[in-house]
Amino acid sequence: NTESLDISLIAHPKDLSVFVGRSPLHLGGTFDDVKIAVHREELAVRVGASLGLAALAGPLAAIVPLIDVGTGTEVDYCQGLISRTQKAVEEEGDQ
């Protein structure tokens, strides 16, 4: 079995979210044995910043790193994937 997965799922909220602890989700391994993991680095940075602000500026400041203002409804993250896929299909057809 030589097929393998290496996929990261990253959420991009469109509206304001408070107490955000999300981190990208990673799918890896083979199709027969899929491994699910969380990218811990982003979550660790948010928690560390929250703890640091709590110690320096008080408990209310601790929520600042846990706020995600969102990207708005006009941002289309899939467009880049779609255009790269179309380009790859066109290049494959030229060969």
Side-chain angles (χ1 to χ4, degrees), residues 6-65:
D6 186 17
I7 301 170
S8 290
L9 303 173
I10 303 169
H12 296 283
K14 294 182 177 183
D15 57 355
L16 178 70
S17 301
V18 182
F19 298 115
V20 175
R22 65 173 170 75
S23 287
L25 185 66
H26 183 261
L27 302 174
T30 63
F31 288 107
D32 291 335
D33 186 25
V34 177
K35 307 277 190 229
I36 300 174
V38 174
H39 289 274
R40 294 183 183 101
E41 298 84 16
E42 183 178 331
L43 183 59
V45 168
R46 284 183 185 256
V47 170
S50 181
L51 292 173
L53 281 173
L56 294 174
L60 286 178
I63 67 167
V64 172

